[in-house]
Amino acid sequence: MRKSLLNIQLDDEQVDELVAALCAYRDHFVELIELNAEIISPHARENDKQWQNKVSQVQEMIDQINESLYGAPTREPLG
């Protein structure tokens, strides 16, 4: 995966909106994982892996934002 430096300036309200949007995006994938848990098939397991990867990627972005703003990652409860 290619990594690029993104440097933008946001006011406090915009940062809050960005973090809230990322949390909602992450939570969407958590819900998909939970809904998929009842389905037993190879395709369902593959979907789980993809969605868990998305959850990890989005959580990493949230942590990076929090770390740059507050010095340490703070995690919101999933789900």
Side-chain angles (χ1 to χ4, degrees), residues 26-68:
R26 174 203 60 203
D27 293 346
H28 168 72
F29 289 107
V30 170
E31 289 175 18
L32 290 174
I33 292 167
E34 291 170 352
L35 290 172
N36 205 43
E38 300 174 9
I39 302 170
I40 299 173
S41 75
H43 184 68
R45 299 296 69 85
E46 186 62 33
N47 286 342
D48 277 351
K49 290 176 187 176
Q50 291 174 340
W51 294 332
Q52 288 169 353
N53 187 35
K54 282 289 188 189
V55 169
S56 295
Q57 289 173 349
V58 175
Q59 185 62 53
E60 184 178 326
M61 284 189 280
I62 293 167
D63 290 345
Q64 287 174 353
I65 291 168
N66 287 333
E67 187 171 352
S68 69

